[in-house]
């Protein structure tokens, strides 16, 4: 993978984790212990997901989105969509 793409992926994941942590605090899930039951995992697994977000399975990601409602644009970038893709999708689904 080209170096720039690796940096973009890393930056997108860092943005996602920043958004996730901000929203966790906003919704009262500021500890792993409080977040784990919402995700349906144990406290240690919730901590692993926070430290290594690349390992989050789809079902848990879905639970995270339902619980803390992160910005969809940041989530889509973390999943690999470009800004152009996101704008195109928004335009396509708004009509």
């Amino acid at each position: 993978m080209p170096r720039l793409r690796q940096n973009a992926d890393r930056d997108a994941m860092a943005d996602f984790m920043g958004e996730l942590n901000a929203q966790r605090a906003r919704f009262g899930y500021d500890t792993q212990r409080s977040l784990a039951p919402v995700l349906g995992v144990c406290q240690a697994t919730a901590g692993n997901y926070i430290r290594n977000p690349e390992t989050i399975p789809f079902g848990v990601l879905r639970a995270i989105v339902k619980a803390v409602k992160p910005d969809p644009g940041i989530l889509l970038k973390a999943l690999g969509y470009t800004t152009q893709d996101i704008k195109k999708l928004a335009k396509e689904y708004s009509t």
Side-chain angles (χ1 to χ4, degrees):
M1 191 180 319
R3 186 178 200 97
L4 292 175
R5 181 69 185 163
Q6 288 175 343
N7 291 340
D9 289 345
R10 186 188 68 228
D11 291 346
M13 192 57 69
D15 290 345
F16 172 69
M17 290 310 297
E19 173 74 4
L20 179 65
N21 289 330
Q23 293 294 81
R24 280 178 48 208
R26 180 176 166 223
F27 284 95
Y29 301 118
D30 34 342
T31 64
Q32 294 173 13
R33 180 174 285 162
S34 63
L35 183 63
V38 174
L39 304 182
V41 298
C42 69
Q43 180 180 347
T45 304
N48 287 338
Y49 292 154
I50 292 168
R51 284 187 297 282
N52 301 310
E54 301 86 15
T55 64
I56 299 174
F58 182 75
V60 174
L61 181 61
R62 189 172 181 193
I64 290 171
V65 169
K66 284 183 177 182
V68 300
K69 299 168 183 53
D71 177 2
I74 292 174
L75 176 63
L76 289 172
K77 283 183 183 178
L79 294 174
Y81 286 88
T82 64
T83 303
Q84 292 172 335
D85 293 337
I86 295 168
K87 287 179 182 178
K88 183 179 175 184
L89 287 170
K91 188 176 184 180
E92 185 176 309
Y93 286 102
S94 67
T95 57

